[in-house]
Amino acid sequence: MAVNVETLDKLERKITLSLPVAAIQSEVDARLRRLARTMKMDGFRPGKVPMNVVAQRYGYSVQYEVVNDKVGEAFNAAANEAQLRIAGQPRISEKEGAPEGELAFDAVFEVYPEVKVGDLSDAEIEKLSAEVDDAAIDRTLDILRKQRRTFAQRPQEEAAEDGDRVTVDFEGKIDGEPFQGGKAEDFQFLVGEGQMLKEFEDAVRGMKAGESKTFPLAFPEDYHGKDVAGKQADFLVTVKKIEQSHLPEVNELLAKSLGIADGTVEGLRADIKKNLEREVKFRVLAKNKQAVMDAIVAKAELDVPKASVQAELDRMIEGARADLKQRGIKDADKAPIPDDVFRPQAERRVRLGLVVAELVRAHELHAKPEQVKAHIDELAASYEKPADVVRWYQGDRQRLAEVEAVVIENNLTDFVLGKAKVNEKKVSFDELMGQQQG
């Protein structure tokens, strides 16, 4: 039987569903009989409660369940018959004026759109590349050395310098009044490493153990402590101890302590280079992938289903509340988060998902088993026991699905870059990693 599908809007459709009352009543009676077999009630033996009593107690709720089930079945059958791709859940409402012996319902719903992707050979995409140079290896070596530094107390007459660890007491006041978080004893920090505000570091630099100093400090407008942000404070600081840092030499001892098999400096630098190159590869791929996604969204024409956007919005708001809860925010699950905060992002995600799905389908860019295996092997290579990591991925369907999604995106990226006008751009290691030179 042909299904009459009415178009209400771009993606909104309506189907009228008819259900025979006799079929509903028959199913209601069958379910009530099944209930009667196990129902217990004072004054009756188990399973011997009269049907009229069972119907009186459960008739309405069972009828509600049966109608819901039957409408759902009828809707799915009609959608399959009409070959509709349904987006979200239908809105069902009972329709007046049904023929005798029937119940009629209107199902209003959205369908997934037709996705048209324009000529990708017209798309211009900037493709980044980067190399790991000696300066990047040197900076990584410095970080590794700092992580393994030791400290020795400076003589009393020597002043604090950059790199020293100082132990201080301090108390801050605003307009002569103490404030929360403005006082500490035996507080340690490293001078010159940005752990404290610049005025605080500048004040302590050059002081000797046993000295005290009062200095003004202006809290930035964007300071994380909202009560003091943008305000001027006066601090009294007393230096109790100054410790000079000692960095380990770059030698075979350091190489061995870092687990380098041959225990040589050359081996250490080669290991650092290999790890940095792996990170560079992933960063470059992520940025180029983003450029490709921007290009295909710009080239695509489609209407976005409101139901899909709402579902994505709900997920994002739920994620935001979970994040607030993790940070210890009270009543985070009730935090009022307006839809507008995430709507543009949700619409873009849905739009991009539909465009990606269409291109993957049209050009058979699905993840092949050997690609998934190769990607897992690459992810595992940076760990001490790669085989354990491979088993961890392969032992969970959800984790495998996440890897497959990444491989599909990589396939799509390669496909689009092979079609588009590509402008190659070489960037420095620092630029790629978002670090400042120096």
Side-chain angles (χ1 to χ4, degrees), residues 70-259:
K70 292 291 183 188
V71 168
E73 287 168 16
F75 177 75
N76 289 334
N80 287 335
E81 179 71 27
Q83 297 184 327
L84 297 171
R85 293 173 61 233
I86 310 296
Q89 292 295 320
R91 300 192 306 277
I92 309 283
S93 57
E94 192 168 352
K95 191 176 182 179
E96 298 293 325
E100 193 174 342
E102 287 188 2
L103 289 176
F105 298 86
D106 282 335
V108 177
F109 55 95
E110 285 184 292
V111 293
Y112 282 109
E114 181 187 355
V115 179
K116 294 176 185 171
V117 182
D119 186 357
L120 292 172
S121 64
D122 290 344
E124 285 200 36
I125 299 174
E126 188 174 77
K127 183 185 178 188
L128 302 183
S129 63
E131 289 179 2
V132 175
D133 55 13
D134 284 339
I137 296 170
D138 290 339
R139 275 195 297 280
T140 306
L141 258 177
D142 285 343
I143 292 166
L144 291 169
R145 290 170 71 207
K146 281 180 179 177
Q147 287 169 351
R148 285 156 182 78
R149 64 186 149 193
T150 55
F151 293 92
Q153 190 161 341
R154 277 192 182 277
Q156 189 82 12
E157 67 276 4
E158 290 187 7
E161 298 176 4
D162 281 350
D164 288 351
R165 183 169 68 186
V166 294
T167 304
V168 301
D169 292 346
F170 65 80
E171 182 175 14
K173 292 182 179 180
I174 296 173
D175 297 328
E177 294 295 325
F179 58 91
Q180 192 173 359
K183 183 177 181 178
E185 292 181 0
D186 294 327
F187 183 85
Q188 287 189 336
F189 72 94
L190 290 157
V191 180
E193 301 213 353
Q195 295 176 355
M196 303 294 281
L197 290 172
K198 184 177 182 299
E199 289 101 320
F200 203 107
E201 287 199 340
D202 289 346
V204 171
R205 190 185 291 107
M207 289 179 69
K208 296 175 182 175
E211 287 185 347
S212 297
K213 180 191 282 188
T214 301
F215 63 95
L217 184 148
F219 286 103
E221 293 288 349
D222 59 354
Y223 191 67
H224 58 81
K226 295 286 180 279
D227 293 343
V228 299
K231 294 181 179 177
Q232 174 102 4
D234 290 303
F235 273 86
L236 170 65
V237 64
T238 301
V239 176
K240 299 173 86 171
K241 185 163 68 172
I242 303 171
E243 296 167 287
Q244 186 176 13
S245 68
H246 294 278
L247 297 177
E249 294 294 320
V250 179
N251 55 22
E252 291 182 0
L253 200 62
L254 179 65
K256 283 174 183 169
S257 76
L258 289 164

Side-chain angles (χ1 to χ4, degrees), residues 336-353:
I337 301 175
D339 284 3
D340 293 352
V341 174
F342 292 117
R343 187 171 293 281
Q345 201 179 342
E347 285 179 355
R348 181 187 159 78
R349 280 189 188 180
V350 172
R351 185 180 295 275
L352 180 59

Side-chain angles (χ1 to χ4, degrees), residues 18-88:
S18 295
L19 300 177
V21 172
I24 291 170
Q25 194 55 52
S26 171
E27 179 63 23
V28 168
D29 292 344
R31 290 192 191 187
L32 286 173
R33 281 195 296 275
R34 284 200 296 274
L35 264 173
R37 289 190 208 119
T38 56
M39 187 172 166
K40 294 176 182 176
M41 184 178 278
D42 290 346
F44 299 98
R45 283 182 293 146
K48 297 294 183 181
V49 181
M51 275 301 297
N52 64 328
V53 177
V54 177
Q56 191 177 3
R57 175 167 287 193
Y58 292 111
Y60 179 79
S61 61
V62 168
Q63 179 146 1
Y64 182 78
E65 284 174 15
V66 170
V67 170
N68 265 358
D69 290 350
K70 292 291 183 188
V71 168
E73 287 168 16
F75 177 75
N76 289 334
N80 287 335
E81 179 71 27
Q83 297 184 327
L84 297 171
R85 293 173 61 233
I86 310 296

